[in-house]
Structure formats: C-alpha cells, structure tokens
Amino acid sequence: GCGGPQKFGVAAGSLRGLLRKGCRLLQLPLAGSRLCLYEDGTELTESYFRALPPQTELVLLGPGESWRGCASDIERLLAAFCSQQGAVVEAARRLLTDERAPRRQKLLADLIHNLSENILAEDKEDDKKWFEGLESRFKNKSSYLRHSCESRMRGYMREVSGFISNVHPAARDAYRGIIDLMADKLKSVKYNGCYFDRREEEEAARLCTAEGWFSCQGPFDRDDCPCKHSINPYSNRESRILFSTWNLDHIIEKKRAVVPELAEAVKTRDGREVNWEYFYQLLFTLENLKLVHIACHKKTNHNLSCDKSRIYRKRKQTYEIS
C-alpha cells in the first residue's frame, strides 16, 4: 500500500485480478484504484503487467493517491526526521548496538550525530558542547563566528598593507592613504562580521538562511557546487570546526590581480582619483568573495582582471552659468 509499512505477496494472472485482490487485502475501493511500480511509479497496463518478471514490487494506489517511486519513500523518511526526531535517534541507536556491518554502523552514527545537533541554541549555557576548545570570552555562537570572519578580514588587510614594499616609492604615501581609508571602513562595519551573524537578518540572508545554513557556491566558472556541499556551523562542535576549513575565495584573485592592480593604479594615477571603494569591494565584500568547500576551492589562476572602467573615479562635470 501507499506508505504502508508491510509488504504482501499476491499472485494473479491478470492486472484486473491483481487489483481486485489487492483492494480486498488493503480494504481499498476498487473504483479509482490502480497499480504502479514501486521503483519509479510507472502505472501498469494489462500488457505491461504480463511483461513483468515474477516478484516485482508494486504499490497499490487508492483514489487520489500518488507515487513517485523511491523518492516518495525518501520524502516520508525526511518528514519523519522533522516530526519524530527523538524517536528516529532512539531507533538508530538500538540498531547501532545490534548491527555488525561497518558501512551501516557509519551511516547510523552519522544519522545520530546530525539529528542530535542543537541548531537553534545561541548562547553558551544552552549548548556547552559547541563551545568546547574555545576561549571563555565567547558567550554565544554568533560572537565566535563574527570573530572568525573578522580574523579573515584582518588577514586580507595585512596582505594589502604588506604589499607596500612593491609599490613605486613615489606612490607609497598615496597607497598608505588608501590603506587607511579601507581600514576605517572595515572598522565601521565591524569587519563585515554581520555576514556570519544570524541575528543580523538582512545581511545574513545574503549568505545564509536564518537557521545558519551555508551553501558552497562552487568553482567560479560554474553555476553551482557540483557536490551540493552545505554546512551549518551553528549545529554542533564538529560542524563548527569543519566550517573553519571552508574558504572565502576571491573570484578576481587578491594576490595575482586586485592588490597589484591597486598598486599600479596609485602609481599611474596622473592626477586622477583612485576609486578605492571599488578595490575595497573586491577585497572585503561578497561582490568578489564566494564561500566554498575546501574541495571546491580553485587554486589555479582564475585569469580574471579588474574592471578598467572602475579603477578611477569619474570626474564630476561642472557647468558655467553665463
């Protein structure tokens, strides 16, 4: 039956005869009922029925019921995870104590691990295990993830500052001035840590859902991550640690393109004003940063360059009134 826990063996010489027996067995009305393949939901005809091998698994659908094959079972399984999470964990634990197959043991252990997570907890008192190994100054999950983001942004800023030895001597003062402007802007936005703070709903929605799920955006030349990597660093300690291995990948590369282009722009500005905010966006914001699983981080040369039309600010036109 559709969604039923039991399987029944029924022998019949015709589709009509099988349908009649099945409806009697499962107490369904004959009118409007039909049979389909369990594996893919293909509805049976009399000729198709006669071509089926013995012991084929079928599903009997009552009026208004539908079956999309194995996917329907998976949907019910996922629904059970949401509505009966505690019962699923307990059942998995019982199976784990009896099961000897290593692969099944691994699947069950992963299931228990994922269903036992405490995603919605924010404060240390509500999920002490999540904070194991962290400094005592972190009192909630968002504060730690903001700190992690800030550390990354500070690291990017140090790289920009450290490049000054490669800047033409005559342009170094101007380069330092731009560094100061970028540093002030980073401080004013708390080093963009709001990207990892689920309390900042408007900003967090740009990178993750309110529940804190982050999706890998994949290699820069593809539309999506082919492996569908996703993670919720708020869920448990292991996910928090694993998330630290994910990368914020600069699409237009920081070391190969953005910083050298900034140094060149300062050197050859010839009275023009360098559009430092454009470089700031490339270095520190989601305009040029993608969150990627470490396996999807493209380490080879991206062969992308800065937009030449945005390197300098456009002069404001002035008009004389006669």
Side-chain angles (χ1 to χ4, degrees):
C2 183
Q6 288 182 290
K7 294 181 182 180
F8 301 92
V10 179
S14 68
L15 177 62
R16 184 70 179 175
L18 181 60
L19 189 59
R20 187 182 297 110
K21 287 184 177 182
C23 288
R24 189 183 307 123
L25 181 66
L26 299 181
Q27 298 182 342
L28 290 174
L30 183 61
S33 293
R34 59 202 190 282
L35 286 160
C36 66
L37 293 180
Y38 168 79
E39 62 183 14
D40 62 7
T42 301
E43 191 169 333
L44 298 190
T45 61
E46 186 66 45
S47 59
Y48 191 15
F49 166 76
R50 294 184 178 280
L52 291 177
Q55 311 302 325
T56 298
E57 290 192 348
L58 306 173
V59 175
L60 176 59
L61 300 175
E65 292 181 330
S66 62
W67 184 259
R68 296 189 297 111
C70 302
S72 296
D73 264 349
I74 295 173
E75 286 176 352
R76 289 183 174 85
L77 183 64
L78 294 175
F81 285 174
C82 297
S83 61
Q84 302 291 332
Q85 182 169 313
V88 173
V89 170
E90 183 57 34
R93 283 187 174 137
R94 286 199 301 270
L95 286 171
L96 190 58
T97 59
D98 298 332
E99 185 54 61
R100 307 270 174 111
R103 289 185 179 179
R104 289 188 183 179
Q105 283 189 327
K106 177 67 167 62
L107 287 173
L108 290 170
D110 288 346
L111 173 66
I112 292 171
H113 168 73
N114 290 328
L115 290 183
S116 299
E117 59 196 13
N118 196 358
I119 293 175
L120 297 180
E122 170 69 13
D123 297 328
K124 188 173 184 177
E125 291 302 315
D126 298 324
D127 193 356
K128 292 182 179 179
K129 189 173 181 180
W130 192 93
F131 291 84
E132 289 180 4
L134 298 182
E135 297 177 33
S136 59
R137 62 190 174 103
F138 298 114
K139 303 302 181 183
N140 57 61
K141 296 178 181 180
S142 293
S143 66
Y144 172 74
L145 290 170
R146 283 198 307 271
H147 167 76
S148 298
C149 181
E150 178 180 338
S151 297
R152 295 192 193 203
M153 297 300 167
R154 286 181 182 275
Y156 298 159
M157 191 73 248
R158 283 194 296 271
E159 290 184 54
V160 179
S161 301
F163 195 80
I164 196 167
S165 60
N166 299 302
V167 178
H168 191 277
R172 287 178 184 173
D173 287 343
Y175 188 85
R176 287 191 187 94
I178 288 176
I179 291 175
D180 291 340
L181 290 170
M182 289 183 175
D184 289 342
K185 186 172 180 64
L186 272 177
K187 291 176 184 176
S188 70
V189 295
K190 300 178 181 178
Y191 292 87
N192 293 327
C194 51
Y195 295 154
F196 296 91
D197 185 350
R198 55 183 169 183
R199 290 180 177 176
E200 301 284 346
E201 294 182 5
E202 184 177 346
E203 289 292 343
R206 299 171 62 192
L207 196 59
C208 62
T209 66
E211 289 77 22
W213 282 99
F214 293 80
S215 296
C216 172
Q217 298 176 48
F220 73 91
D221 54 353
R222 298 184 184 176
D223 295 332
D224 200 3
C225 164
C227 300
K228 306 299 179 186
H229 293 120
S230 64
I231 193 169
N232 191 325
Y234 296 95
S235 61
N236 52 53
R237 179 173 178 269
E238 288 76 9
S239 294
R240 184 255 297 169
I241 294 171
L242 181 61
F243 186 62
S244 67
T245 68
W246 284 44
N247 292 308
L248 278 171
D249 189 15
H250 287 85
I251 304 169
I252 301 174
E253 293 173 281
K254 175 177 77 272
K255 291 182 178 179
R256 291 191 177 106
V258 181
V259 178
E261 188 69 61
L262 173 60
E264 183 65 19
V266 173
K267 174 187 172 183
T268 58
R269 66 189 187 281
D270 192 24
R272 294 172 292 180
E273 184 181 357
V274 176
N275 185 8
W276 67 269
E277 289 181 322
Y278 169 61
F279 289 98
Y280 174 91
Q281 290 172 346
L282 294 181
L283 290 166
F284 305 109
T285 76
L286 297 181
E287 178 171 320
N288 192 45
L289 282 168
K290 295 203 313 181
L291 188 64
V292 294
H293 186 282
I294 189 170
C296 292
H297 188 197
K298 188 166 183 176
K299 301 294 180 65
T300 57
N301 195 328
H302 293 185
N303 293 317
L304 295 175
S305 58
C306 301
D307 184 349
K308 299 293 184 183
S309 67
R310 299 179 66 185
I311 290 176
Y312 298 101
R313 293 186 189 276
K314 293 182 179 180
R315 292 183 180 274
K316 293 181 181 181
Q317 294 183 346
T318 58
Y319 300 91
E320 292 185 3
I321 300 176
S322 60

